[in-house]
Amino acid sequence: MKNKSKIKKEYQNKTEEIKRHNILYYDKSRPIISDSEYDVLKRDIIDLENKYSYLKNKNSPSLIVGLKPSKNFLKSKHRVKMLSLSNAFDSEDLKNYEKKIANFLNLKNNDHIEYSVEPKIDGISASLTYKNSNFVLGLSRGDGIEGEIITENLRTIKDIPKTIKDKNFPKDIDIRGEVYIGKEDFEKIKDRFANPRNAASGSLRQKNPNETKKIPLKFIAYTYGFNSEINFKKQSDFLRLLKIWGFNTNRLNKIISGIDNLVQNHKELESKRYDLDFDVDGLVYKINNLDLQKRLGFVANAPRWAIAHKFSADSSFSKILNIEIQIGRTGALTPVAKIKPVNIGGVVVSNATLHNEEEIIRKDIRIGDTVKVERAGDVIPHVLLVDLKKRSIDSKKFSFPINCPSCGSKVIKDFNKISKKYDAVKRCSSEGYKCEKIAIEKIKHFVSKEAFNIEGLGKKVVEKFWELKFIKLPFDIFNLNYKKIETLEGWGELSTDNLKKSIERSKNIELDKFIFSLGIRHIGQENAKLLSQYFLNVKNFIYLTKSFNFNSLSNLDGIGETQINSLKSFFSDKTNLNVVKKLISILNIKSIKQNAKGKLMNKTFMFTGKLLNISRAEAKSLIEENSGKILSNVSKKLNYLVAGEKPTVKKVKQAKELGVKVINQSEWKKLLN
Ligand code: IVH
């Protein structure tokens, strides 16, 4: 019998070999073995893992998508953005959601809010453009703004009609839905993929559509993007039309009103979720009435008119091997339990967050403990509780570091002025590029999808480039030595060239994404957008950082003391200033295009008192839709103070003194129409 180290060596050799062939095939387009030889190699690896379970690891080729997807798809902008959904986990969340909706819409009674209730299939979303009844373009979601052109791969899916016969089909429409693999079909190919979703994703992004064809993908339609002819009033009407037009819709779609009924339906589906032929991770609730949907509009990346009601998590027991500290971009120190790898709901988990020191103490979690680990969808797995019966005498308490493990700076807790308490989270007091771990995280944030969106510069690559001293500060990204990169293991001419292209492309960036990319604490996507609409161009932005007059921002509805202090502290730091200055000299930062159609362009508004028949939230959203701005203080910058019922006398007086126009609700309405 072979000994353990020999087996390990054999396994290692084979995995190294397959890696080499992956590079030759996908990055260099120069395969030196046939497909069947490749399959044999892969089969060998999987067989070894099945025989000797200690070989299984998270980098195993058996967990990596069968064939690495090509990175070379052309991209195209979505005509209507592809958004994500906010989540609800229990009836409390749902009640809050409905209350918020009812408030926004100024409804007196929420009983009649009707939802289109649809199972949330855990697959890959795709957008299909039909012109004159022909399927002409298929896009992946991408970053929601632009997707990859995967038309040919989508064409191989039987469920996707190539031409629509129905005469009432819109002339120009994007049909959106989920591409997935049925569980039964997945069984046949499960050795090659981590889970059905992974298989669908890998298959969809194959360079060669014939590869896609080999894997039995399905498609279920559920919404539209651009649509030249909306002649229906409800989401449920649209779902019915989809079926008439020849698309598959989910047979479990329903129309439901009332939270109790939603919860009941959720319970029923959850109990039979494992009997369904597709993976579901919850239900999607959409306000059924499209007029209401239109009024509700969007927040940042998700519609107000829909929410996902997730299923409860899967869980499993495992042993804590060690506790490590992870340092985040904002300096937060998060304790993470390294656990013995365990399969939870189809995914191998080896890390589980412990959140913070207080949690460890409260749950009395020790190294060596057997713990219950929970995992829900794409949320990071966390340790739920300790199985005390299984505690051994040599379990070890964890002592939280008093200095940052990366840079040695003191660890501190922030004082929250609102709750008048210290935060539970401890953070590195350096909070900048001086701390190595924070710097790496900052760069990961900088290149992420929502910021510079540099493809080919994933987390692992950032770490590698950091280690090799290729990147220390964000601007180093634009000055990489591609000749050197090409010679690195795992890189080739093609992949280096692709990286170069995506870095060049990223140099054209919108102002809001640029502000967001800087990773200023408390300036998330929403606030970055707000600031960019205020500054309009990078010149104004830079002028402010020089004049340091951040207090002037307090006028903006949404920017408060916390944000202002954070901006001040960020721009007091020399390295940060240097980074921003250098970046500006390298980049082409696009000015904000103001909505030319906006009737309220350049006009600023503030509300006081109660409005009739419309909520504050909807009134604000109407102003923003028409390119106006909302201010939170009366100042010379204010154009209109809209006074509803019982306005604050002081505000009206202030406005009059400053010469600001005070108008009533109907006068405001006239400005809109
Ligand atoms: S509607 C803006 N309907 O869920 C509305 N999405 O987190 C979003 N999904 O990317 C799309 N089933 O991949 C919608 N019946 C359904 C869905 C569904 C699954 C996925 C979709 C989307 C994600 C949003």
Side-chain angles (χ1 to χ4, degrees):
M1 206 185 102
K2 286 191 226 172
N3 67 28
K4 209 168 169 176
S5 73
K6 261 201 183 143
I7 294 161
K8 272 192 177 162
K9 190 82 212 150
E10 183 187 346
Y11 177 78
Q12 208 178 1
N13 286 342
K14 285 194 190 286
T15 51
E16 288 298 325
E17 200 183 332
I18 205 162
K19 245 196 228 158
R20 198 162 62 86
H21 291 304
N22 279 341
I23 294 163
L24 284 167
Y25 185 82
Y26 294 106
D27 294 343
K28 308 209 165 159
S29 303
R30 253 194 297 117
I32 54 170
I33 55 172
S34 69
D35 284 2
S36 56
E37 279 170 302
Y38 181 95
D39 286 342
V40 169
L41 182 60
K42 186 145 195 178
R43 192 69 254 172
D44 283 354
I45 291 171
I46 291 163
D47 286 347
L48 276 173
E49 282 177 2
N50 286 341
K51 217 158 144 193
Y52 309 104
S53 60
Y54 58 84
L55 291 174
K56 283 191 182 156
N57 64 86
K58 67 175 193 301
N59 295 323
S60 158
S62 62
L63 295 177
I64 297 169
V65 168
L67 293 155
K68 252 174 104 190
S70 154
K71 293 179 183 132
N72 302 330
F73 288 104
L74 290 174
K75 294 202 171 140
S76 174
K77 249 198 166 116
H78 294 295
R79 293 188 285 185
V80 172
K81 272 198 236 170
M82 279 183 97
L83 299 154
S84 53
L85 293 168
S86 3
N87 292 328
F89 292 93
D90 50 29
S91 66
E92 196 64 24
D93 292 348
L94 290 177
K95 277 180 198 152
N96 286 334
Y97 173 72
E98 196 171 72
K99 213 188 273 164
K100 237 172 62 192
I101 296 299
N103 281 343
F104 188 99
L105 296 171
N106 205 33
L107 302 177
K108 298 282 167 303
N109 163 6
N110 0 334
D111 286 352
H112 56 271
I113 295 185
E114 196 177 83
Y115 297 95
S116 170
V117 175
E118 307 162 20
K120 187 165 183 292
I121 298 186
D122 195 11
I124 301 294
S125 52
S127 184
L128 321 172
T129 300
Y130 288 82
K131 291 197 180 187
N132 299 318
S133 298
N134 290 314
F135 173 45
V136 292
L137 175 72
L139 298 178
S140 69
R141 177 171 187 271
D143 62 357
I145 294 166
E146 68 176 5
E148 289 164 321
I149 302 179
I150 50 169
T151 318
E152 292 316 310
N153 298 24
L154 288 167
R155 252 185 223 290
T156 66
I157 301 176
K158 282 204 202 80
D159 291 348
I160 294 181
K162 315 300 174 290
T163 43
I164 311 285
K165 296 199 183 72
D166 190 87
K167 279 201 268 339
N168 295 321
F169 189 67
K171 276 214 153 45
D172 187 359
I173 184 170
D174 302 329
I175 303 283
R176 290 177 175 176
E178 207 76 359
V179 176
Y180 68 99
I181 294 188
K183 281 188 202 158
E184 222 168 275
D185 288 328
F186 179 68
E187 276 303 305
K188 295 176 217 149
I189 53 166
K190 71 172 178 207
D191 285 346
R192 294 162 53 197
F193 303 96
N195 53 46
R197 183 171 196 275
N198 210 320
S201 149
S203 162
L204 251 193
R205 299 184 67 249
Q206 289 305 308
K207 207 187 280 187
N208 180 353
N210 287 326
E211 289 300 330
T212 307
K213 216 172 175 172
K214 284 185 197 161
I215 294 166
L217 294 173
K218 292 188 170 140
F219 182 77
I220 271 194
Y222 49 64
T223 193
Y224 55 88
F226 178 85
N227 187 353
S228 61
E229 287 148 63
I230 306 182
N231 40 21
F232 42 87
K233 291 223 157 307
K234 291 181 172 185
Q235 161 71 6
S236 51
D237 296 340
F238 180 67
L239 291 173
R240 216 178 15 245
L241 284 170
L242 279 170
K243 232 160 132 183
I244 295 172
W245 295 334
F247 293 91
N248 284 346
T249 52
N250 204 312
R251 64 188 166 82
L252 298 167
N253 289 343
K254 284 184 181 161
I255 300 168
I256 296 178
S257 309
I259 303 294
D260 291 344
N261 297 327
L262 288 176
V263 171
Q264 180 58 29
N265 178 64
H266 186 260
K267 227 186 201 162
E268 280 163 23
L269 188 71
E270 184 160 24
S271 69
K272 60 177 180 196
R273 87 186 258 209
Y274 296 106
D275 305 329
L276 300 173
D277 185 45
F278 42 81
D279 272 337
V280 260
D281 54 355
L283 284 155
V284 183
Y285 303 151
K286 302 174 184 168
I287 306 286
N288 202 18
N289 181 321
L290 295 180
D291 287 335
L292 295 185
Q293 279 195 12
K294 199 161 170 235
R295 276 175 64 191
L296 284 161
F298 307 89
V299 275
N301 278 325
R304 273 199 202 87
W305 46 261
I307 193 158
H309 188 183
K310 292 292 190 99
F311 286 142
S312 58
D314 290 307
S315 65
S316 195
F317 283 90
S318 181
K319 193 173 157 172
I320 298 190
L321 305 174
N322 198 8
I323 295 179
E324 289 177 5
I325 295 289
Q326 242 171 36
I327 302 165
R329 169 172 72 81
T330 59
L333 267 51
T334 308
V336 176
K338 299 272 146 183
I339 58 168
K340 207 171 144 214
V342 58
N343 188 314
I344 310 181
V347 174
V348 178
V349 175
S350 45
N351 294 310
T353 182
L354 297 166
H355 301 294
N356 54 57
E357 186 184 21
E358 282 173 23
E359 280 278 304
I360 299 182
I361 297 170
R362 198 168 57 79
K363 294 178 179 163
D364 187 21
I365 297 166
R366 305 182 192 180
I367 299 167
D369 274 349
T370 298
V371 290
K372 190 175 185 183
V373 177
E374 199 180 64
R375 177 193 151 259
D378 40 14
V379 187
I380 301 168
H382 67 276
V383 171
L384 207 65
L385 51 90
V386 176
D387 183 351
L388 284 174
K389 283 189 276 124
K390 294 216 171 111
R391 174 166 285 169
S392 77
I393 35 164
D394 49 3
S395 74
K396 259 195 350 230
K397 278 200 177 177
F398 175 72
S399 46
F400 211 88
I402 46 175
N403 293 100
C404 169
S406 164
C407 69
S409 302
K410 234 178 85 189
V411 166
I412 51 163
K413 276 186 174 188
D414 282 351
F415 186 73
N416 188 323
K417 279 189 185 146
I418 297 165
S419 66
K420 300 215 165 29
K421 272 190 203 150
Y422 279 97
D423 279 350
V425 175
K426 285 189 165 172
R427 49 183 78 247
C428 165
S429 54
S430 133
E431 204 198 297
Y433 292 102
K434 281 171 230 98
C435 174
E436 185 166 311
K437 277 278 155 54
I438 296 181
I440 297 176
E441 294 306 313
K442 275 178 168 296
I443 291 166
K444 287 181 192 167
H445 170 79
F446 186 83
V447 300
S448 66
K449 243 185 189 180
E450 294 76 20
F452 272 74
N453 190 18
I454 303 179
E455 237 173 82
L457 206 52
K459 292 184 179 171
K460 284 270 170 302
V461 181
V462 168
E463 280 166 20
K464 182 93 200 153
F465 284 8
W466 173 276
E467 205 182 287
L468 294 167
K469 301 201 165 55
F470 289 2
I471 302 176
K472 280 271 162 210
L473 290 166
F475 51 72
D476 295 330
I477 292 167
F478 303 102
N479 203 10
L480 286 170
N481 184 338
Y482 294 106
K483 280 268 164 313
K484 261 196 200 159
I485 294 173
E486 204 180 304
T487 62
L488 297 178
E489 200 206 311
W491 287 83
E493 207 179 311
L494 198 67
S495 51
T496 310
D497 197 49
N498 284 339
L499 176 67
K500 190 174 166 183
K501 277 186 195 142
S502 64
I503 288 178
E504 283 307 311
R505 210 171 30 226
S506 78
K507 283 185 179 169
N508 289 307
I509 189 163
E510 291 83 11
L511 181 60
D512 58 321
K513 288 198 172 184
F514 174 70
I515 296 175
F516 175 69
S517 79
L518 298 174
I520 306 167
R521 239 180 118 196
H522 305 295
I523 305 294
Q525 276 177 291
E526 191 80 5
N527 280 333
K529 234 182 213 141
L530 209 70
L531 290 176
S532 71
Q533 272 151 8
Y534 174 81
F535 291 120
L536 297 177
N537 57 50
V538 72
K539 258 196 192 138
N540 294 336
F541 176 61
I542 275 314
Y543 177 74
L544 187 89
T545 65
K546 284 189 182 135
S547 66
F548 219 76
N549 183 18
F550 292 105
N551 290 344
S552 62
L553 298 175
S554 68
N555 236 332
L556 292 177
D557 197 42
I559 302 287
E561 202 184 327
T562 315
Q563 285 76 17
I564 286 175
N565 286 341
S566 174
L567 283 162
K568 280 183 184 167
S569 121
F570 184 90
F571 286 105
S572 306
D573 181 285
K574 272 206 186 109
T575 314
N576 286 339
L577 282 171
N578 185 28
V579 166
V580 173
K581 209 168 94 192
K582 274 236 171 91
L583 283 173
I584 289 177
S585 74
I586 298 169
L587 303 169
N588 167 30
I589 302 172
K590 290 183 253 179
S591 302
I592 296 297
K593 261 196 235 124
Q594 282 178 306
N595 184 355
K597 285 177 268 169
K599 296 179 196 92
L600 306 181
M601 173 113 117
N602 292 332
K603 296 280 181 277
T604 57
F605 292 82
M606 187 181 157
F607 291 99
T608 177
K610 192 177 163 10
L611 300 174
L612 288 178
N613 299 323
I614 183 170
S615 69
R616 271 281 174 93
E618 188 173 5
K620 283 181 179 181
S621 140
L622 271 175
I623 287 183
E624 276 161 1
E625 258 170 47
N626 287 284
S627 320
K629 282 186 198 130
I630 313 285
L631 298 185
S632 55
N633 296 314
V634 180
S635 74
K636 272 190 196 151
K637 286 191 186 144
L638 185 64
N639 297 118
Y640 298 97
L641 179 69
V642 185
E645 258 177 33
K646 295 191 190 140
T648 310
V649 180
K650 195 174 151 206
K651 283 184 186 155
V652 177
K653 197 174 150 223
Q654 251 177 342
K656 282 187 175 154
E657 276 165 13
L658 290 171
V660 173
K661 267 189 206 147
V662 180
I663 58 175
N664 62 27
Q665 191 176 341
S666 57
E667 287 168 311
W668 170 65
K669 246 191 168 160
K670 265 187 214 139
L671 288 179
L672 276 172
N673 308 326

